[in-house]
Amino acid sequence: MPLALVTGAARANSIAAGVIPRLVEDGWDVVTSDLDSGDYPCDLSDASVPTDLIERITRERGPLTALVLSHAHDVESGILDTTAESFDKHLAINARATLLLIAAFAREVDPGGGAIVAFTSDHTTGNLPYGASKGALDRIVISAARELGPRLISANVVNPGPIDTGWMDDETRSTLTGYHPLGRAGTPKDIAGVTAFLLSEEGRWISGQLLHTDGGFSARF
């Protein structure tokens, strides 16, 4: 049974929470991590933790075949009120931890190769440190597709658009639904199938892509 790590799996209505049961259904053994919960609680803002996490999982459970990066730090602020400390923390968790997790995964990956999926966002204006750190994540993951391809590792970034994971109030949901071609907000389940396919043997020929899996929401721009 292939082994997958899903980060950022704490909240019951998160994208990760939607992905995990689909992976289990598809025959994956899934381990999870988050700041204070999951199979492996850990603080990814600590530069030593990502490598330690992958190495510990490998020792205890065997080599990983999939890495799903759903962890994120998000405190809204703009150009004029973003502090250096906030910016650094966003980069540490959203970008640096992503780099270190991918590098450790590549060193310990199953001999048959594997797949990486990371989630990104276009939300930058008014949310500058989050958006900037997600932009860095995009480049890291796409670069991984080129560099790690010889190790039989695919890597893709998924931009799910606005997903109703509990952060939307009624007004926000109504406004976003008005912009959506399908007439509803996205749900974690909508992203689960896409993620499962990209991790599958059939889906690994797709690599190095930033995929807008948002039901056409981004087509309005």
Side-chain angles (χ1 to χ4, degrees), residues 5-11 16 32-46 49 53 56 70-75 89 93 97 101:
L5 167 63
V6 180
T7 66
R11 291 189 299 113
T32 62
S33 72
D34 211 296
L35 181 59
D36 298 311
S37 62
D39 301 310
Y40 295 88
C42 62
D43 181 0
L44 292 176
S45 68
D46 182 332
V49 164
L53 173 63
R56 180 182 173 194
S70 187
H71 65 275
H73 178 65
D74 182 9
V75 178
K89 186 168 184 179
I93 296 173
L101 284 164

Side-chain angles (χ1 to χ4, degrees), residues 5 14 21 24 29 43-44 66 75 77 136 164 175 190 197 199 202 219:
L5 167 63
S14 66
V24 171
D29 185 10
D43 181 0
L44 292 176
V75 178
S77 62
D164 191 357
T175 298
D190 292 320
F197 176 70
L199 299 181
E202 294 87 353

